[in-house]
Amino acid sequence: MGQENLRIEIGNLTAKQAKLKDILDSSPTELKQTSFGSLIKELPFDASLLLNNTKTGAELLQTIKAKYPNKLVLLDIWATWCGPCLDQMPYGKKLHHQAKEAKLPVEFIYLCTDASSDQQKWVNKVAELEQPGTHLFVGNTVISELFTLFNRSGFPTYVVIKPNGEIDTKAISWMSAVTLEKLKEMMN
């Protein structure tokens, strides 16, 4: 019985690895400059992966606000090694799809720290999760500055930028608690 389970598990992992390779191979890898930084991949599940080039937390925040005026922006500050961050990702994915279906002007921005991680781990994790949204790989110094600006610490941290530019650091404690109705309320 044990060997059969092991064979099934190996088969599942092999299939998962092949799917991940297909996803990563299917997207262009040409670098393109944006206001955030270098676009390194666009993945088939509505995800863009960028290397952040802003120098400070304040500059990154201003860039995000300037790029998405009059939209509700959900910032998810996470790490590839953070269990609670990864546990909450499926809720963000579901919400992303619901908001898109409802045609709400909402942007999902994921800021991943480079602390104790590297670019390939980050790319692989986003692809494995098939997490839609705009993903930025951000230097930990910039992440630390954002934590200071938001008076927050630790991963995951969620921050809402309202359509009027107002920042709300307390609107979301856990992505699993956010509903489409709550998103609509946050827009006002």
Side-chain angles (χ1 to χ4, degrees):
M1 182 79 169
Q3 279 194 323
E4 182 58 26
N5 287 344
L6 192 56
R7 212 176 347 272
I8 290 169
E9 189 60 28
I10 289 170
N12 290 342
L13 287 173
T14 303
K16 188 175 180 182
Q17 189 176 26
K19 182 178 181 186
L20 188 60
K21 184 178 179 341
D22 286 348
I23 288 171
L24 292 175
D25 289 349
S26 72
S27 60
T29 51
E30 70 182 58
L31 285 178
K32 188 169 94 179
Q33 291 304 312
T34 72
S35 54
F36 291 127
S38 305
L39 174 68
I40 58 165
K41 281 201 180 297
E42 288 185 314
L43 298 174
F45 44 85
D46 195 20
S48 299
L49 280 66
L50 301 109
L51 299 178
N52 175 56
N53 70 357
T54 58
K55 304 289 183 238
T56 66
E59 183 186 346
L60 179 54
L61 191 57
Q62 275 312 113
T63 303
I64 291 168
K65 283 179 161 187
K67 183 155 175 69
Y68 303 110
N70 306 314
K71 285 191 172 190
L72 183 70
V73 177
L74 301 186
L75 291 181
D76 182 334
I77 305 173
W78 69 290
T80 58
W81 43 260
C82 168
C85 300
L86 300 175
D87 290 345
Q88 292 297 302
M89 289 289 185
Y91 299 103
K93 181 178 178 176
K94 179 181 174 192
L95 199 58
H96 178 103
H97 292 306
Q98 289 173 338
K100 192 170 181 167
E101 198 173 286
K103 294 183 176 23
L104 292 180
V106 179
E107 293 294 329
F108 291 77
I109 312 287
Y110 296 87
L111 307 177
C112 182
T113 181
D114 69 358
S116 299
S117 193
D118 63 44
Q119 183 180 330
Q120 196 57 55
K121 276 185 198 167
W122 165 68
V123 169
N124 290 347
K125 190 53 72 178
V126 173
E128 177 189 327
L129 296 167
E130 296 186 28
Q131 193 73 26
T134 301
H135 296 266
L136 282 92
F137 194 60
V138 182
N140 198 51
T141 307
V142 173
I143 295 288
S144 295
E145 289 176 19
L146 286 172
F147 281 156
T148 300
L149 283 170
F150 299 143
N151 196 24
R152 309 293 286 178
S153 64
F155 302 100
T157 289
Y158 304 103
V159 175
V160 173
I161 304 172
K162 296 186 176 186
N164 64 5
E166 179 188 325
I167 294 172
D168 188 340
T169 60
K170 297 193 176 16
I172 300 174
S173 296
W174 293 103
M175 199 56 78
S176 56
V178 183
T179 62
L180 195 59
E181 285 65 39
K182 186 168 180 177
L183 272 187
K184 291 174 184 173
E185 287 171 22
M186 286 185 224
M187 296 184 78
N188 298 324

